[in-house]
Amino acid sequence: MQQQDMLRMANQIAAFFNGSGPELAVKEAAEHINKFWDPHMRAVLVAHLDKGGEGLDGTIVKAAALIKRPKTADA
Amino acid sequence: MTLIKETDYGTPEVNSTNMVTLEIDGQQVTVPEGTSIMRAAMEMGTKIPKLCATDMLDAFGSCRLCLVEIEGRKGTPASCTTPVAPGIKVRTQTDRLAKLRKGVMELYISDHPLDCLTCAANGDCELQDMAGAVGLREVRYGHEGDNHVFKTRAGGSANIRWQPKDDSNPYFTFDPAKCIVCSRCVRACEEVQGTFALTIDGRGFDSHVSAGMDEAFLESECVSCGACVQACPTATLTEKSVIEMGQPEHSVVTTCAYCGVGCSFKAEMKGDQVVRMAPYKDGGANEGHSCVKGRFAWGYTTHKDRITAPMIRERITDPWKEVSWDEAIGYAASRFKAIQEKYGRTSIGGITSSRCTNEEVFAVQKMIRAAFRNNNVDTCARVCHSPTGYGLSRTFGTSAGTQDFKSVDEADVLLLIGANPTDAHPVFGSRMKRRLREGAKLIVADPRKIDLVESAHVKAAHHLQLRPGTNVAIINALAHVIMTEGLEKRGYIEERCDPVEFARWEAFIREERNSPEALEPVTGVPAPEVRAAARLYATGGNGAIYYGLGVTEHSQGSTMVMGMANLAMATGNVGRNGVGVNPLRGQNNVQGSCDMGSFPHEFSGYRHVGDDTVRRMFESVWQTSLDAEPGLRIPNMFDAAIEGSYKGLFVQGEDIAQSDPNTKHVDRALEAMECVVVQDLFLNETAAFAHVFLPGTSFLEKDGTFTNAERRINRVRMVKAPLQGKHEWQAVAELATAMGYPMHYNDASEIMDEIARLTPTFAGVSFEKLDLLGSVQWPCNDKAPEGTPLMHIGGFVRGLGRFVVTEFVPTEERTNRSFPLILTTGRILSQYNVGAQTRRTANAAWHTEDLLEIHPHDAELRGIKDGAMVSVSSRVGATTLRARISERMPQGVVYTTFHHPESGANVITTENSDWATNCPEYKVTAVQVSLSNQPSDWQKEWEEREEENKRVAPMVAAE
């Protein structure tokens, strides 16, 4: 997955959940990504978050700890 | 097997709980109040002679054959128009009646040709039957007088009453010489189809059936649904296939393979040749109606382009080579295995088809999960209704619509959003129109002025002509009005919905920024119109929402689905007949393919692959370990292919290279793959990029089930043997076995048994039960052994209904100076999706090319005249189409269909997608339109590829 697609998709998810207020948004956005993103896609996101998550919505940045890290051997 | 002849009761069934007992020919019979004497007689097995009556139509009383005598009443009333009354004594056969009937028949026959032996209706003619029934032995009036039968009069002069046969329609002929003016065709067009294309013109002996203004059928408003042909008691309206082949000798009941309505048909056969497809009155979805596609457009099943031998090739530029099944399957397996060895377990995957049966789909997803050992399986529902699944599951708890189609008969206000049923779901569209003629109100939310906004005897109360991409703004505005004007159903909400979520939503929706006035600049819809529509929906009685891809195919598709669910819950419009939130599914088995576990994160029955209990159950039945991580969705597969981590794809009955957005991106992804296996009827656009072609079966050759938009599981019965010698699930099972995972079924019913064992909502489903009951609607299990037509009665499946905050987020796809117009795409009545089937039928008579519809003002600005070639370009690509100037379009919006590959409608559409499901945003693309005199670069490339990549090597004779 291209960086720009990942950013667009993650930020779209955040934009939706932000409607429910900041606390819930972090939890729900992480759950959504864990549920629907395959390990390769999560790997791109996690790698970017590890570098500070520039360009990502604050909700996604805060959700970093809740996003399931893909097993490296599997990715 | 015999030819199924359904009982014709003469007049429609009456739903009354008051029962009436009367006596007919000395026998007591009890029927609902309001039933005709004719129907009551038929209920006890007595056929009263009739010509103008049939139970699909209201009684008309014109033929005067069905006369009866009633003790104590004067005269001989028509039994079709006379309702039963308690205690009356009816005689259906007396000397007086016999004489009258004979006299009437004699008159009919005096103006009807006597060519019965060579007539196409021979063996299926009600006029002939009635002549026999009344014992007609002579026609005293002769045929020489005034008549409609002969071209010339006795003296040799031209007969002005005579009209030539009209064979303009590709599928049926109209022969006025054989018409008895019973007006069944006219009434079928009105009452069943709702098109009003036919009328009786003239008076007295001059009366004749006229299509439009005495035009040829093809030139009239006729939509070729076949209802008139079905209703005709003579050979006046006859299928051309019957004229050519003669009468069928046996029939098999099966399910149409076009749209998500899922009509039941009798395939009427001669040996293994289909003579005609006749709509089946006991079909739960269609109840005896049909459209031009299901009724007539099945010729593709034997089209010369159909591929019936497996083929392989090393490179996509090589010509195809026909091989044996074993060789093709072995070749596919070895290439897939080699890819997995080189690039890893998750480097391959597949796509299941909404065109295939539940059993075929289940087999493919099982092959991917068990034999490919990953969850890289997705289905074409990704690009149409995936937001429906997500949105309705989150709010109500099930990934499906709430009602059966019949429910619309009790709706008072229809809110139709982003759907065009008279084109895309015609049989349901007819049902809707019938309800509207009965007085239900209609609100249409659509950028286009679709037919239902205003057509014969139908006029929408409100047309919310919103800008593409502003659905969520409109739904929020509607909800805002309901909540701030106190029109919500508090009691319902408190009883059935989650109070915390409701409070959160209520606070959000009441905010001024969600008012129609605040959102008017965004949606372009006048606020008073939105307010009036909201009041009507909330207070007009049963409010039913119906929607299509105009809702889902947006960057906020899922949000919109939840917005509609919010609206329905707030007004108490879920959980009984006449209400609900109803997706109109695009393809015959979209619902089924989703139910069958085609999504990369879910097993059948919508259970996440990460759920250990569920996964262990599948592992124990399938005897293998399964991946707990979700796989790639279709757009993610393309992205991964371009990056080089995804190299092999199995495509079941789907044409991603034509149907998916941003064609150039899809083409690049397919070119990057090392093994693409296509299972299909034809060498479609995707097959141009394939290495293995496994020939598929048409619906006439399939044995299995389709699940329609109302969750109805219908049997698809094998009408004839597979042309290529193998069921699709057999080929899939063999490929799985060759990949190292043994998979075997003796027949399709074994697959359904496995589905039932593994899927709680299907626990009670078996072929045996379907054969017994005709169809069932899931959930079908111990709690509901005969299925569930209506969901969420008394409470929601998820427990408490969940209101969801639906913030309007404008799409990133915006118009600007370079791309000032918005393109939206859709389909039309006579063609179907990528057109692989309908283009290979005579439906081409109605639509030979995709046209770009453009508003007169936008056209004039650009110097575009009707019929001019124009280039349509977006930031990702361009194509050239012919323009049609149309006031159906609002200014600033253009529209086209995607039925023809050379049009390349999806060359223009972009990678934008729904935030939750990645469903592509087909409905909003910023474009520019300008005059052009040549095909686009992509079209030139397409032509080359059409030539190069679809070559089949000539067979070399063995030495």
Side-chain angles (χ1 to χ4, degrees), chain B residues 516-717:
Chain B
E517 290 74 19
L519 289 168
E520 186 174 321
V522 175
T523 62
V525 185
E529 196 66 14
V530 177
R531 287 199 176 265
R535 289 170 196 147
L536 176 62
Y537 173 74
T539 62
N542 283 340
I545 299 176
Y546 290 91
Y547 70 96
L549 304 182
V551 157
T552 55
E553 290 175 346
H554 286 279
S555 65
Q556 280 201 290
S558 294
T559 314
M560 180 60 183
V561 172
M562 293 184 276
M564 294 184 305
N566 290 338
L567 198 68
M569 287 189 289
T571 50
N573 277 318
V574 186
R576 62 176 189 282
N577 266 324
V579 299
V581 179
N582 304 282
L584 295 171
R585 302 273 186 167
Q587 314 223 40
N588 53 330
N589 203 33
V590 182
Q591 182 66 56
S593 71
C594 299
D595 300 339
M596 289 302 102
S598 291
F599 288 135
H601 65 287
E602 288 173 332
F603 291 117
S604 61
Y606 306 98
R607 291 157 301 158
H608 201 270
V609 291
D611 182 323
D612 291 342
T613 322
V614 173
R615 199 178 58 258
R616 279 189 203 118
M617 178 172 71
F618 277 86
E619 286 177 336
S620 90
V621 173
W622 289 354
Q623 293 288 302
T624 185
S625 65
L626 297 168
D627 194 347
E629 283 281 11
L632 294 163
R633 298 173 287 194
I634 295 174
N636 314 143
M637 290 181 191
F638 296 149
D639 292 342
I642 288 170
E643 274 166 44
S645 63
Y646 190 76
K647 292 286 186 184
L649 185 67
F650 181 95
V651 188
Q652 175 192 34
E654 184 177 356
D655 198 1
I656 46 179
Q658 188 182 342
S659 65
D660 285 34
N662 195 351
T663 308
K664 285 197 270 189
H665 181 74
V666 177
D667 290 357
R668 269 207 311 282
L670 287 168
E671 274 165 353
M673 294 199 207
E674 292 179 11
C675 180
V676 175
V677 178
V678 168
Q679 189 176 35
D680 207 286
L681 300 179
F682 304 107
L683 277 178
N684 58 17
E685 299 312 299
T686 310
F689 302 93
H691 306 86
V692 180
F693 186 89
L694 302 176
T697 52
S698 79
F699 78 113
L700 295 173
E701 298 141 50
K702 290 186 192 299
D703 183 25
T705 55
F706 290 150
T707 309
N708 77 354
E710 39 166 17
R711 295 170 277 104
R712 188 186 298 280
I713 307 162
N714 271 315
R715 277 284 273 131
V716 182
R717 293 190 179 83

Side-chain angles (χ1 to χ4, degrees), chain A residues 1-2 5 8-9 12-13 16-17 19-20 24 28 32 34-42 74, chain B residues 345-346 390 394 504 555 559 562 601 608 629-633 636 643 804-805 911 913 915-916 918:
Chain A
M1 188 172 52
Q2 301 278 319
D5 292 327
R8 175 172 52 83
M9 283 162 55
Q12 269 183 308
I13 291 167
F16 173 77
F17 289 110
S20 312
L24 209 60
E28 298 258 21
H32 186 92
N34 289 338
K35 195 169 169 188
F36 295 103
W37 285 29
D38 100 309
H40 299 270
M41 293 163 66
R42 294 206 310 273
D74 211 49
Chain B
R345 177 175 61 83
T346 58
Y390 178 83
R394 201 168 161 86
R504 195 191 336 266
S555 65
T559 314
M562 293 184 276
H601 65 287
H608 201 270
E629 283 281 11
L632 294 163
R633 298 173 287 194
N636 314 143
E643 274 166 44
V804 176
V805 173
E911 72 290 348
S913 66
W915 68 268
N918 277 164

Side-chain angles (χ1 to χ4, degrees), chain B residues 726-893:
Chain B
K726 211 181 264 294
H727 285 292
E728 288 189 20
W729 54 261
Q730 274 175 316
V732 170
E734 285 168 22
L735 177 55
T737 307
M739 293 281 296
Y741 174 77
M743 195 161 142
H744 177 78
Y745 300 99
N746 288 308
D747 60 45
S749 75
E750 286 186 10
I751 307 181
M752 180 49 87
D753 294 344
E754 185 172 314
I755 295 165
R757 197 153 71 239
L758 285 165
T759 319
T761 43
F762 276 67
V765 182
S766 67
F767 280 18
E768 205 184 347
K769 182 178 279 181
L770 293 170
D771 290 342
L772 194 72
L773 298 177
S775 64
V776 293
Q777 287 168 267
W778 68 257
C780 174
N781 46 32
D782 287 345
K783 274 193 227 156
E786 297 203 349
T788 315
L790 184 60
M791 298 202 76
H792 314 296
I793 303 171
F796 288 96
V797 168
R798 75 177 292 280
L800 292 172
R802 178 200 245 172
F803 281 87
V804 176
V805 173
T806 52
E807 188 78 57
F808 171 62
V809 181
T811 170
E812 286 173 20
E813 183 72 14
R814 310 239 170 109
T815 53
N816 55 31
R817 202 181 301 166
S818 312
F819 303 109
L821 300 170
I822 288 179
L823 170 77
T824 178
T825 61
R827 65 189 191 203
I828 58 150
L829 173 66
S830 57
Q831 296 285 350
Y832 188 78
N833 281 13
V834 295
Q837 291 142 306
T838 46
R839 278 186 283 114
R840 293 181 172 95
T841 68
N843 276 23
W846 288 274
H847 181 93
T848 46
E849 61 181 321
D850 295 316
L851 299 169
L852 184 85
E853 288 188 36
I854 183 166
H855 186 273
H857 178 79
D858 294 328
E860 198 183 329
L861 271 182
R862 293 165 176 78
I864 294 166
K865 291 207 172 69
D866 197 59
M869 293 308 289
V870 292
S871 161
V872 190
S873 52
S874 73
R875 63 184 162 81
V876 303
T879 191
T880 303
L881 297 167
R882 199 176 295 282
R884 172 189 280 164
I885 298 183
S886 159
E887 293 193 30
R888 286 157 62 94
M889 305 309 302
Q891 268 186 42
V893 181

Side-chain angles (χ1 to χ4, degrees), chain B residues 18-22 27-32 35 40 43-44 84:
Chain B
N18 290 343
M19 300 304 277
V20 170
T21 302
L22 69 158
Q27 284 187 57
Q28 299 265 308
V29 59
T30 304
V31 292
T35 302
E43 297 273 0
M44 57 180 242
V84 294

